[in-house]
Amino acid sequence: KAGVTQTPRYLIKTRGQQVTLSCSPISGHRSVSWYQQTPGQGLQFLFEYFSETQRNKGNFPGRFSGRQFSNSRSEMNVSTLELGDSALYLCASSQLQGGPGNEQFFGPGTRLTVL
Amino acid sequence: GIQVEQSPPDLILQEGANSTLRCNFSDSVNNLQWFHQNPWGQLINLFYIPSGTKQNGRLSATTVATERYSLLYISSSQTTDSGVYFCALMDSNYQLIWGAGTKLIIKP
């Protein structure tokens, strides 16, 4: 079974631009979560989607948004990029939302650099 | 919210040594995972262990939920074990709350 895939793997943008990152979960997984990892803040939760609905959102500005499609693939978008948005963005998928079966599996990440 | 503390923050060992990494948490848990992040950033699942003991090769983990801690044991360390080890718990809003990690360096 293929793992979680993320595209692109690396991205360089300039301030003010916008970016879209993509995540394809493990086949059969319906929950997709996004995390941002920076050296200073560690791993922080962005949002979680289940059956095309955002069920939870972390403490990030409205410039960060996402969506999930009917095939469970998810995208996240960051508009008006700032230097501080430079980070590793990680996507995770799981079969169930919540409960004992909610082991999360991560993709390789997208490394975003904002110049 | 849930607090997760990992210790030690850094650990340097010679190849072949054994190590114990600790994760303390502040609330009851029904979902606890250990991950290894390799130098390329990939988070690799090690254990899903809300309670009890599990073993996988040279690695084993124990979670004592009533005392709110989990331990990760690495035996006969290899250089490929180097990286950052994270403990993460899921809160009631289904988001993972992460510890700060233990950075492990295994010297040949």
Side-chain angles (χ1 to χ4, degrees):
Chain A
K1 194 183 260 192
V4 179
T5 58
Q6 292 187 246
T7 57
R9 293 293 311 280
Y10 302 92
L11 208 48
I12 299 175
K13 292 285 188 179
T14 57
R15 279 179 297 176
Q17 289 187 307
Q18 75 166 19
V19 66
T20 299
L21 311 182
S22 180
C23 171
S24 292
I26 293 171
S27 177
H29 285 195
R30 297 169 63 191
S31 171
V32 173
S33 301
W34 290 88
Y35 292 83
Q36 181 198 64
Q37 186 177 29
T38 59
Q41 299 295 318
L43 281 144
Q44 293 187 290
F45 172 77
L46 281 157
F47 20 66
E48 188 259 357
Y49 289 88
F50 183 79
S51 295
E52 301 179 66
T53 300
Q54 186 183 91
R55 302 302 287 266
N56 192 18
K57 181 174 168 64
N59 189 25
F60 278 82
R63 300 185 296 108
F64 291 81
S65 63
R67 59 178 174 169
Q68 186 181 34
F69 302 95
S70 58
N71 62 358
S72 294
R73 189 177 71 85
S74 177
E75 289 181 347
M76 66 163 282
N77 184 77
V78 188
S79 62
T80 319
L81 284 166
E82 300 178 359
L83 295 178
D85 297 333
S86 295
L88 179 66
Y89 290 87
L90 292 158
C91 166
S93 79
S94 61
Q95 261 187 317
L96 302 170
Q97 189 213 18
N102 207 41
E103 184 175 5
Q104 299 211 347
F105 297 87
F106 282 82
T110 294
R111 195 168 293 277
L112 171 65
T113 302
V114 182
L115 302 176
Chain B
I2 297 174
Q3 304 294 317
V4 182
E5 293 183 357
Q6 291 187 244
S7 59
D10 299 279
L11 192 56
I12 301 174
L13 299 171
Q14 290 295 134
E15 201 168 23
N18 301 329
S19 59
T20 301
L21 282 57
R22 187 176 181 103
C23 172
N24 291 334
F25 45 93
S26 61
D27 207 344
S28 59
V29 58
N30 60 12
N31 181 323
L32 186 150
Q33 291 186 246
W34 282 97
F35 297 93
H36 173 213
Q37 188 168 41
N38 66 23
W40 297 272
Q42 173 80 57
L43 281 166
I44 299 162
N45 289 48
L46 297 177
F47 294 101
Y48 172 77
I49 187 165
S51 64
T53 297
K54 291 185 177 180
Q55 180 157 8
N56 184 5
R58 296 181 296 104
L59 274 62
S60 64
T62 295
T63 296
V64 183
T66 53
E67 297 187 23
R68 299 184 182 170
Y69 73 88
S70 183
L71 302 174
L72 177 69
Y73 305 96
I74 304 173
S75 64
S76 304
S77 298
Q78 301 175 358
T79 55
T80 52
D81 294 331
S82 296
V84 183
Y85 289 80
F86 288 102
C87 164
L89 280 70
M90 185 158 288
D91 72 2
S92 57
N93 291 316
Y94 312 123
Q95 64 173 282
L96 286 174
I97 308 299
W98 299 82
T102 291
K103 184 175 181 180
L104 177 63
I105 296 174
I106 304 297
K107 293 187 171 183

